[in-house]
Amino acid sequence: MTFWDFFWLMMSFVLYVSYLVVLFLIVKDIFADSTRTGWSKAVWVLVLLFLPVIGGLAYLIAHGQSMSLRQAARNDVAREDFDDYVRRTAGTNPAEQIAQAKTLMDDGALTAEEFTALKQRVLRQ
């Protein structure tokens, strides 16, 4: 095997793996899109099974922009969930939260009912 044979073998392998990644991303997007009907999903999967290159290109042309927007929205939701989790777990302890709420109630920013509700919520965590 010469250098060029090896080079083209590696290039073919990289292109094949890239192609498979794109197909998996398309299939993931098809099933993750809640606005698409079941029949539409079935048709796209059949097209990808029987005409994978043409079907993949057609899907990317028809839905490429919305595909990236849906992925960005999913990433935003995941980031917000993670940030919320970090805030909840790394936040102040319950005694500090109740003390802060008591200070707010004393300043008149919270009513007694709001303070009681907040205290109950903090104690349930």
Side-chain angles (χ1 to χ4, degrees):
M1 178 180 262
T2 67
F3 169 77
W4 291 110
D5 290 337
F6 181 74
F7 175 78
W8 289 115
L9 177 67
M10 289 298 108
M11 289 300 294
S12 300
F13 180 74
V14 167
L15 289 173
Y16 181 69
V17 170
S18 301
Y19 167 72
L20 287 178
V21 168
V22 169
L23 276 182
F24 286 130
L25 287 174
I26 290 172
V27 170
K28 176 186 163 201
D29 185 67
I30 288 171
F31 288 106
D33 186 6
S34 61
T35 61
R36 190 171 286 136
T37 64
W39 285 106
S40 172
K41 292 177 183 182
V43 167
W44 274 114
V45 169
L46 287 175
V47 168
L48 288 173
L49 283 175
F50 293 112
L51 302 168
V53 174
I54 295 170
L57 287 174
Y59 187 86
L60 289 176
I61 291 168
H63 301 286
Q65 181 66 28
S66 59
M67 186 175 168
S68 64
L69 293 174
R70 282 189 295 276
Q71 183 62 38
R74 285 190 294 266
N75 289 342
D76 289 343
V77 168
R79 186 177 308 110
E80 289 171 4
D81 288 345
F82 178 74
D83 290 345
D84 183 51
Y85 171 75
V86 169
R87 274 195 286 297
R88 282 186 287 121
T89 57
T92 58
N93 64 33
E96 290 175 345
Q97 290 179 356
I98 292 171
Q100 289 174 350
K102 177 70 172 149
T103 304
L104 289 173
M105 186 179 78
D106 293 340
D107 292 342
L110 289 177
T111 64
E113 295 83 25
E114 292 171 330
F115 171 75
T116 306
L118 183 91
K119 187 167 99 174
Q120 292 300 320
R121 189 185 69 194
V122 167
L123 291 175
R124 276 185 269 148
Q125 289 180 355

